[in-house]
Amino acid sequence: SGEASPEELVEAAIARAARLDPELQSIVTPMFEQARARLGQGLAEGPFTGVPTLVKDLTPIAGVPQYRGSRLFLDQIATETHMLVQRMEAAGMVVIGKSATPEFGLLPSTSPRAFPPTRNPWDTERDPGGSSGGAGAAVAAGIVPIAQGSDGGGSIRIPSAACGLFGMKPSRGRLPSPPDPRPVELAVRGFLTRTVRDSQAALSAFEVTDFAFPSVTDEELAARSRLRIAFTTETPGGTALHPDCVKAVQRTAKLCRSLGHVVEEVTPEFHNLETREAMVTLWASGPHALVAEIEAKTGAPPDRPVLEPWTWGLVELFRSRPDPDAALAGAVEQALRATEQAATFHDEYDVLLTSTLGAPPLPSGQPDQSQPFEALLEQVFGFVPYTYVANMTGRPAMSMPLYETKEGLPLGSHFVGRFGEEALLFELARRLEEARPWHDRWPPHSAHGFAAARTVEETPSDSD
């Protein structure tokens, strides 16, 4: 609106980071002086001129450390800036830091052993989710209004659910992404925001212009007011959802029905153990490729303590296959099969609704890497039973903070749409946001929470 200058906005964000982040640990690399230098050089005029933001530590910025949440890369300085960050800066955004992530973005939590654990501002004894956990904690706390994230199995939607935010995983190819070393491109980049409007504005500003599908603001898709929505509380692995998550899905389904949509309880064909097992193989192929590259260059694998147990577990799982190449080929085939099944499903239903997570936000340090790998694997999939399927099939998916537990912890409602139909999801999200707004819900450890506490402290009591 022009009521504040870019300098005021950036300095306010830096001040909030200084006050809030010692507890949250959401920022691994402060870039305050770089942000001030950018202001001094003059900002590009764009839709986000002067808006302070964070970039996830998996995304490179030239001249800035890129730890990737790992002790293996504590001395790495990026030599190039990712295309999405270039577009963000060209739109006027000001990066004030790099946000925390678990090692290589592999866990749905943000407690890397290379750094202090990131805390959830709703309850600092809990984890903010991952792998864009630093982004989620910072936006939820009000340090910045928008932060860049990435999503290879739920990593935008998971922290959005755990931190009470809106998070959209775009369709495969919607935003600039580097080549994925895996044979199926699982990871996409995107943003975590407090509002549907801000997320849609960001995707609209940064989407690849030659994308072969409708824009994220496509008016024809947005005009479809009566949708067919399927929902399920059954999981691909058969694990039981937490009762609060079941209740949130049921209440969300009822809310959708009250808005005039046709809502039916249906479990999709592609929600099965074969899809889950294929995802494990695809996940494991990434760290395996990294370790193999190090072995090829140095003649030896990294020292055991350098990488975390979850990373080693994935490497060893991949290498334990009788024929790893055949297993990887089989995983690709299953991903293609699931993609075809998803397309058939969407011939009948516009949207699939599930819980984003299998449980409310976990205690800090969970999932527990000290347990045997098979038990850890089950804990991971118990917490993230759904999100990875949209990555395997390339479809857009979003998490919305429509409900919460009786303790006040946020719960995410997860919607998956047809490939390329973000505009339809955004319009659905906008109507749900109007019906059950969350903008006035702030966590205790936030800029709003501190402001409220100061007001109480500064107001004389009756006895005074």
Side-chain angles (χ1 to χ4, degrees), residues 107-156:
L107 272 173
S109 60
T110 306
S111 298
R113 297 190 174 184
F115 299 97
T118 302
R119 304 289 182 165
N120 192 319
W122 289 94
D123 177 352
T124 54
E125 294 302 312
R126 293 179 184 266
D127 190 275
S131 63
S132 305
V139 174
I143 294 174
V144 292
I146 183 171
Q148 181 264 326
S150 59
D151 192 315
S155 294
I156 288 172

Coordinates of all heavy atoms in Angstrom, one line a residue, residues 107-156:
L107 N 14.1 -35.7 6.0 CA 13.2 -36.1 7.1 C 12.0 -35.1 7.1 O 12.2 -33.9 6.8 CB 13.9 -36.1 8.4 CG 14.6 -37.4 8.8 CD1 15.4 -37.2 10.1 CD2 13.5 -38.5 9.0
P108 N 10.9 -35.5 7.6 CA 9.7 -34.6 7.8 C 9.8 -33.8 9.1 O 8.8 -33.5 9.7 CB 8.5 -35.5 7.7 CG 9.0 -36.8 8.3 CD 10.5 -36.9 7.9
S109 N 11.0 -33.5 9.5 CA 11.2 -32.8 10.8 C 12.5 -31.9 10.5 O 13.2 -32.1 9.6 CB 11.4 -33.7 11.9 OG 12.5 -34.6 11.7
T110 N 12.7 -31.0 11.5 CA 13.9 -30.1 11.3 C 14.7 -30.1 12.6 O 14.7 -29.1 13.3 CB 13.5 -28.7 10.8 OG1 12.6 -28.8 9.7 CG2 14.7 -27.8 10.5
S111 N 15.4 -31.2 12.8 CA 16.3 -31.3 13.9 C 17.6 -31.9 13.5 O 18.1 -33.0 13.9 CB 15.7 -32.2 15.0 OG 14.5 -31.7 15.5
P112 N 18.3 -31.2 12.5 CA 19.6 -31.8 12.0 C 20.6 -31.8 13.1 O 20.7 -30.9 14.0 CB 19.9 -30.8 10.9 CG 19.3 -29.5 11.3 CD 18.0 -29.9 12.0
R113 N 21.5 -32.8 13.0 CA 22.6 -32.9 14.0 C 23.7 -31.8 13.8 O 24.5 -31.6 14.7 CB 23.1 -34.3 14.0 CG 22.1 -35.3 14.4 CD 22.6 -36.7 14.6 NE 21.6 -37.6 15.2 CZ 21.7 -38.8 15.5 NH1 22.9 -39.4 15.5 NH2 20.7 -39.5 16.0
A114 N 23.7 -31.2 12.7 CA 24.7 -30.2 12.4 C 24.3 -28.8 13.1 O 25.2 -28.0 13.2 CB 24.8 -29.9 10.9
F115 N 23.1 -28.7 13.5 CA 22.6 -27.4 14.0 C 21.6 -27.6 15.1 O 21.1 -28.7 15.3 CB 21.9 -26.6 12.9 CG 22.8 -26.2 11.7 CD1 22.7 -27.0 10.6 CD2 23.6 -25.2 11.8 CE1 23.6 -26.7 9.5 CE2 24.5 -24.8 10.7 CZ 24.4 -25.6 9.6
P116 N 21.3 -26.6 15.9 CA 20.3 -26.8 17.0 C 18.9 -27.1 16.3 O 18.7 -26.6 15.2 CB 20.2 -25.4 17.7 CG 21.6 -24.8 17.4 CD 22.0 -25.3 16.0
P117 N 18.1 -27.8 17.0 CA 16.7 -28.1 16.4 C 15.9 -26.8 16.3 O 15.9 -25.9 17.1 CB 16.1 -29.0 17.4 CG 16.8 -28.7 18.7 CD 18.2 -28.4 18.4
T118 N 15.2 -26.8 15.2 CA 14.2 -25.7 15.0 C 12.9 -26.0 15.8 O 12.5 -27.1 15.9 CB 13.9 -25.5 13.5 OG1 15.1 -25.3 12.7 CG2 12.9 -24.4 13.2
R119 N 12.4 -24.9 16.4 CA 11.2 -25.1 17.3 C 10.0 -24.6 16.6 O 10.0 -23.7 15.8 CB 11.5 -24.3 18.6 CG 12.8 -24.7 19.3 CD 12.7 -26.0 19.9 NE 13.9 -26.4 20.7 CZ 14.0 -27.4 21.5 NH1 13.0 -28.1 21.8 NH2 15.2 -27.6 22.2
N120 N 8.9 -25.2 17.0 CA 7.6 -24.8 16.5 C 7.0 -23.7 17.4 O 6.9 -23.8 18.6 CB 6.6 -26.0 16.6 CG 5.3 -25.8 15.9 OD1 4.7 -24.7 15.9 ND2 4.8 -26.8 15.2
P121 N 6.7 -22.5 16.8 CA 6.2 -21.4 17.6 C 4.9 -21.6 18.3 O 4.6 -20.9 19.2 CB 6.1 -20.2 16.6 CG 6.0 -20.9 15.2 CD 6.8 -22.2 15.3
W122 N 4.1 -22.6 17.9 CA 2.9 -23.0 18.6 C 3.2 -23.6 20.0 O 2.5 -23.5 20.9 CB 2.0 -23.8 17.8 CG 1.4 -23.1 16.7 CD1 1.9 -23.0 15.4 CD2 0.2 -22.3 16.7 NE1 1.0 -22.2 14.6 CE2 0.0 -21.8 15.4 CE3 -0.7 -22.0 17.7 CZ2 -1.0 -20.9 15.1 CZ3 -1.8 -21.1 17.4 CH2 -1.9 -20.6 16.1
D123 N 4.3 -24.4 20.0 CA 4.8 -25.0 21.2 C 6.3 -25.3 21.0 O 6.6 -26.2 20.2 CB 4.0 -26.3 21.5 CG 4.5 -27.1 22.7 OD1 5.5 -26.7 23.3 OD2 3.8 -28.1 23.0
T124 N 7.1 -24.6 21.7 CA 8.6 -24.7 21.4 C 9.2 -26.0 21.9 O 10.4 -26.3 21.6 CB 9.3 -23.5 22.0 OG1 9.0 -23.4 23.4 CG2 9.0 -22.2 21.3
E125 N 8.4 -26.9 22.5 CA 8.8 -28.2 22.8 C 8.5 -29.2 21.6 O 8.8 -30.4 21.7 CB 8.2 -28.8 24.0 CG 8.6 -28.0 25.3 CD 10.1 -28.1 25.5 OE1 10.7 -29.2 25.4 OE2 10.7 -27.0 25.7
R126 N 7.9 -28.6 20.5 CA 7.5 -29.5 19.4 C 8.3 -29.0 18.1 O 8.8 -27.9 18.0 CB 6.0 -29.4 19.1 CG 5.2 -30.0 20.2 CD 3.7 -29.9 20.0 NE 3.0 -30.5 21.1 CZ 2.5 -31.7 21.1 NH1 2.7 -32.6 20.1 NH2 1.8 -32.2 22.2
D127 N 8.3 -30.0 17.2 CA 9.0 -29.7 15.9 C 8.1 -29.0 14.9 O 6.9 -29.2 14.9 CB 9.4 -31.1 15.3 CG 10.4 -31.0 14.1 OD1 9.9 -30.8 13.0 OD2 11.6 -31.0 14.3
P128 N 8.6 -28.2 14.0 CA 7.8 -27.5 13.0 C 7.5 -28.3 11.8 O 6.9 -27.8 10.9 CB 8.7 -26.2 12.7 CG 10.1 -26.8 12.8 CD 10.0 -27.7 14.0
G129 N 8.0 -29.5 11.7 CA 7.8 -30.3 10.5 C 9.0 -30.0 9.6 O 9.9 -29.2 9.9
G130 N 9.0 -30.7 8.5 CA 10.1 -30.6 7.5 C 9.7 -31.0 6.2 O 8.6 -31.5 6.0
S131 N 10.6 -30.8 5.2 CA 11.9 -30.3 5.4 C 12.0 -28.8 5.4 O 13.1 -28.3 5.7 CB 12.9 -30.9 4.4 OG 12.6 -30.5 3.1
S132 N 11.0 -28.1 5.0 CA 11.0 -26.6 5.0 C 10.6 -26.1 6.4 O 9.8 -25.2 6.5 CB 10.1 -26.1 3.9 OG 10.4 -26.6 2.7
G133 N 11.2 -26.7 7.5 CA 10.8 -26.4 8.8 C 11.2 -25.0 9.3 O 10.4 -24.3 10.0
G134 N 12.4 -24.5 8.8 CA 12.8 -23.2 9.2 C 11.9 -22.1 8.6 O 11.5 -21.2 9.2
A135 N 11.5 -22.4 7.3 CA 10.6 -21.5 6.6 C 9.2 -21.4 7.4 O 8.6 -20.4 7.6 CB 10.4 -21.9 5.2
G136 N 8.7 -22.6 7.7 CA 7.4 -22.7 8.4 C 7.4 -22.0 9.8 O 6.5 -21.2 10.1
A137 N 8.5 -22.2 10.6 CA 8.6 -21.6 11.9 C 8.7 -20.1 11.7 O 8.0 -19.3 12.5 CB 9.8 -22.1 12.6
A138 N 9.4 -19.6 10.8 CA 9.6 -18.1 10.6 C 8.4 -17.4 10.1 O 8.1 -16.3 10.6 CB 10.8 -17.9 9.6
V139 N 7.7 -18.0 9.2 CA 6.4 -17.4 8.7 C 5.3 -17.5 9.8 O 4.6 -16.5 10.0 CB 5.9 -18.1 7.4 CG1 4.6 -17.5 7.0 CG2 7.0 -17.8 6.3
A140 N 5.2 -18.6 10.5 CA 4.2 -18.7 11.6 C 4.5 -17.7 12.7 O 3.5 -17.2 13.2 CB 4.2 -20.1 12.1
A141 N 5.7 -17.4 13.0 CA 6.1 -16.5 14.0 C 6.0 -15.1 13.6 O 6.1 -14.2 14.4 CB 7.5 -16.8 14.5
G142 N 5.8 -14.8 12.3 CA 5.7 -13.4 11.8 C 7.1 -12.8 11.6 O 7.1 -11.5 11.4
I143 N 8.1 -13.5 11.5 CA 9.4 -12.9 11.2 C 9.4 -12.4 9.8 O 9.8 -11.3 9.5 CB 10.6 -14.0 11.4 CG1 10.7 -14.3 12.9 CG2 11.9 -13.4 10.8 CD1 11.7 -15.4 13.1
V144 N 8.9 -13.2 8.8 CA 8.7 -12.8 7.5 C 7.3 -13.3 7.1 O 6.8 -14.2 7.6 CB 9.7 -13.4 6.5 CG1 11.1 -12.8 6.7 CG2 9.8 -14.9 6.6
P145 N 6.7 -12.6 6.1 CA 5.3 -13.0 5.7 C 5.3 -14.1 4.6 O 4.2 -14.7 4.4 CB 4.8 -11.7 5.1 CG 6.0 -11.0 4.5 CD 7.1 -11.4 5.4
I146 N 6.4 -14.4 4.0 CA 6.5 -15.4 3.0 C 7.9 -16.0 3.0 O 8.8 -15.3 3.2 CB 6.1 -14.9 1.6 CG1 6.1 -16.0 0.5 CG2 7.0 -13.7 1.2 CD1 5.5 -15.5 -0.8
A147 N 8.0 -17.3 2.7 CA 9.4 -17.9 2.7 C 9.4 -19.0 1.6 O 8.4 -19.7 1.5 CB 9.8 -18.5 4.0
Q148 N 10.5 -19.1 1.0 CA 10.6 -20.1 -0.1 C 10.9 -21.5 0.5 O 11.6 -21.6 1.5 CB 11.8 -19.7 -1.0 CG 12.0 -20.7 -2.2 CD 13.1 -21.7 -1.9 OE1 14.1 -21.4 -1.2 NE2 13.0 -22.9 -2.4
G149 N 10.3 -22.5 0.0 CA 10.5 -23.9 0.4 C 10.6 -24.8 -0.8 O 10.6 -24.3 -1.9
S150 N 10.8 -26.1 -0.5 CA 10.8 -27.1 -1.6 C 10.1 -28.3 -1.1 O 10.0 -28.5 0.2 CB 12.3 -27.4 -2.0 OG 13.1 -27.8 -0.9
D151 N 9.7 -29.2 -2.0 CA 8.8 -30.3 -1.6 C 9.1 -31.5 -2.5 O 8.8 -31.5 -3.6 CB 7.4 -29.8 -1.8 CG 6.4 -30.7 -1.2 OD1 6.5 -32.0 -1.4 OD2 5.4 -30.3 -0.5
G152 N 9.8 -32.5 -1.9 CA 10.1 -33.7 -2.6 C 9.3 -34.9 -2.1 O 9.4 -36.0 -2.6
G153 N 8.5 -34.7 -1.0 CA 7.6 -35.7 -0.5 C 6.6 -35.2 0.5 O 6.0 -35.9 1.2
G154 N 6.5 -33.8 0.5 CA 5.6 -33.2 1.4 C 6.2 -32.0 2.1 O 5.6 -31.4 3.0
S155 N 7.4 -31.6 1.7 CA 8.2 -30.7 2.6 C 7.8 -29.2 2.6 O 8.3 -28.5 3.4 CB 9.7 -30.7 2.1 OG 10.2 -32.0 2.3
I156 N 6.8 -28.8 1.8 CA 6.1 -27.6 1.9 C 4.9 -27.8 2.8 O 4.6 -27.0 3.7 CB 5.8 -26.9 0.6 CG1 7.0 -26.4 -0.1 CG2 4.8 -25.8 0.7 CD1 6.8 -25.9 -1.5

